[in-house]
Amino acid sequence: MGTEERAPGRLRVAVAAPLSEENRARILALEPRIDLVVDQALLPPMRWPADFAGDPSWHRTPAQQQAYDAALDSADALYGIPDVDPAALARTVRANRGLRWVHTMAAGGGSQVKAARLTADELERVLFTTSAGVHGQPLAEFAVFGVLAGAKGLPRLMRGQRDHEWGGRWTMGQVSEQTILVLGLGGIGRVVAQKLHALGARVIGTSRRGTGVPGVHQVVPLDRIAEVAPTVDAVVNTLPGTAATEHLLDKRFFDALRPGATLVNVGRGSVVDEAALLEALDSGRVGFAALDVFETEPLPSHSPLWNHDHVLVSPHTAALSAAEDRLIAELFATNATRLLDGESLVNRVDTVEFY
């Protein structure tokens, strides 16, 4: 544990991930009771917005690493998982007995907490939060783009353009006449549902609580999605990667789908059984797949998904926006205020299922 004394009524925050001067000022303006511990020389340069792991060619000297660890070990809270490395998180939690809270940059930061393999006592002692909700708008737009691309026959259009074939005219699908299954009605799924509803689609959603959401015509439990699969024209996955969701979209599900259905994945790659998906693509059961996430990332060069005529590969970049860093900083400041005022934090990590 760091030797510096914690100031009463204040929150000492070690900045463990790249944070711009503008966003540092924003955090302090929103919550003046924060004391930020930050040395930009100890943080890797970002290559693009929200590149919290930073340039992989950058390394600290031994002296810099010692200074970085000392800052982490003196803090009440961490802005980011150190080096986006679960092992570094575990080291810090064990070295800093006064650590109260860690905010992860990712919406799916629970998987990083799980990978740290903390003990039950450590998970009880430290609060963990994620940036869920920050990525809702850009991911929802990608989801709508994927649904539209499937309805309008993007693969057929691209093949015709590539081969300079005018071809005959054909009837395109109308999203306003479609039924779309949205898996997960959390921060992302709710926005997806609202946008699809605005286009006139009939939306079916899944929710553990079974509660209604604006724009959703019907809510079903996850264990019943194969029952509604024959009625849907498109599926949008926004679910996190947990033991309960692994390979949820499997051969049984794809076999039940209405032929030619569209699949969009903006949740986690582990939700989709890629072998079963490829079989469904080859058979035409899935007519088009817009995928931003995969079981293995980066997607291996030998994966058949790269060259499949009915697949659009996005390199896990659909969530990225110029506003992401600012929105995460604002979310952090909001939670810091809640922590200081003794209120519950938003986006708490479930330390049983880690989402």
Side-chain angles (χ1 to χ4, degrees), residues 6-11 31-35 100 340:
R6 268 75 164 175
R10 300 190 66 81
L11 190 69
E31 180 42 81
R33 292 173 291 176
I34 288 177
D35 296 316
R100 300 169 59 192
L340 285 162

Side-chain angles (χ1 to χ4, degrees), residues 200-211:
R202 178 179 182 270
V203 180
I204 300 174
T206 66
S207 171
R208 287 183 169 188
R209 302 175 185 86
T211 54

Side-chain angles (χ1 to χ4, degrees), residues 317-339:
T317 194
L320 192 62
S321 76
E324 183 171 344
D325 293 352
R326 172 181 60 80
L327 293 172
I328 291 175
E330 290 172 353
L331 174 60
F332 180 84
T334 295
N335 260 342
T337 298
R338 296 178 73 90
L339 184 69

Side-chain angles (χ1 to χ4, degrees), residues 192-204:
V192 172
Q194 290 165 7
K195 291 183 183 298
L196 292 172
H197 174 73
L199 291 173
R202 178 179 182 270
V203 180
I204 300 174

